[in-house]
Amino acid sequence: MRRFFDGVRRLVTNRVFSRVLLGYLALTLIMAALCGASYALALRLSREHAADRNALLFENASASINAAYDVVDRFTSDVYKLPQLNRLLHTSSLPSDVTYLLYETVRALPALSDGQGLVENYYVYLPALNAKIIDDGVMTGDVGKILFYGALMLL
């Protein structure tokens, strides 16, 4: 063990070795400082830009959701503007031509589309009939009993 420390002491007292060792140590510290500073700068910039990018993403998502809501809102207002459907919804007693009125309503509904494919399936509940107008027919309140399917009458 004593030999080891004597050897280290001889190396340290040797001027050439000491200068080379200090040079390498100085270069290593300079490189470590430069790398640390550049890493800190990159981290700070990425944090600043991440906040901006996230805010932009949230704004785009909000605009997309609002546009989809407007499409669905426009579609539902178009559905409720159908005169046949308004007659069925706003009557307390059933008209005598209810079958033909349902048939006309079912035929008129597929012409309405949202244009973007957001609305795939829909139904309108008719409380006076206890029935639902679905996108391709009319179903009664009875489980699965279909009055109309598409343009075909199944009564």
Side-chain angles (χ1 to χ4, degrees):
M1 190 76 157
R2 183 170 172 92
R3 280 185 170 181
F4 175 74
F5 287 117
D6 287 339
V8 171
R9 202 173 298 135
R10 263 188 260 131
L11 285 176
V12 172
T13 56
N14 187 351
R15 288 184 183 205
V16 175
F17 181 74
S18 298
R19 286 183 183 170
V20 170
L21 183 64
L22 288 176
Y24 282 131
L25 186 60
L27 283 175
T28 303
L29 289 176
I30 289 171
M31 291 303 294
L34 286 175
C35 289
S38 64
Y39 178 74
L41 177 66
L43 190 62
R44 183 177 54 85
L45 289 175
S46 66
R47 282 182 185 161
E48 290 173 2
H49 292 298
D52 294 340
R53 282 189 305 249
N54 287 341
L56 185 62
L57 284 174
F58 284 131
E59 288 173 8
N60 287 342
S62 174
S64 297
I65 290 170
N66 287 337
Y69 176 76
D70 291 341
V71 167
V72 172
D73 189 44
R74 198 172 324 114
F75 177 77
T76 55
S77 69
D78 289 346
V79 167
Y80 285 103
K81 285 180 186 173
L82 287 173
Q84 304 94 332
L85 187 61
N86 277 325
R87 278 189 58 205
L88 286 170
L89 285 173
H90 300 309
T91 183
S92 57
S93 63
L94 294 176
S96 60
D97 61 344
V98 68
T99 304
Y100 184 70
L101 198 56
L102 283 170
Y103 175 74
E104 281 185 335
T105 305
V106 169
R107 276 192 35 207
L109 282 175
L112 301 174
S113 68
D114 63 356
Q116 296 180 358
L118 290 175
V119 179
E120 294 177 1
N121 298 317
Y122 56 91
Y123 72 93
V124 179
Y125 179 67
L126 303 171
L129 292 173
N130 191 22
K132 293 183 283 281
I133 297 177
I134 56 178
D135 55 352
D136 55 359
V138 177
M139 295 181 71
T140 64
D142 301 336
V143 178
K145 183 176 178 188
I146 297 175
L147 294 178
F148 302 104
Y149 185 75
L152 301 174
M153 215 182 289
L154 300 176
L155 287 175

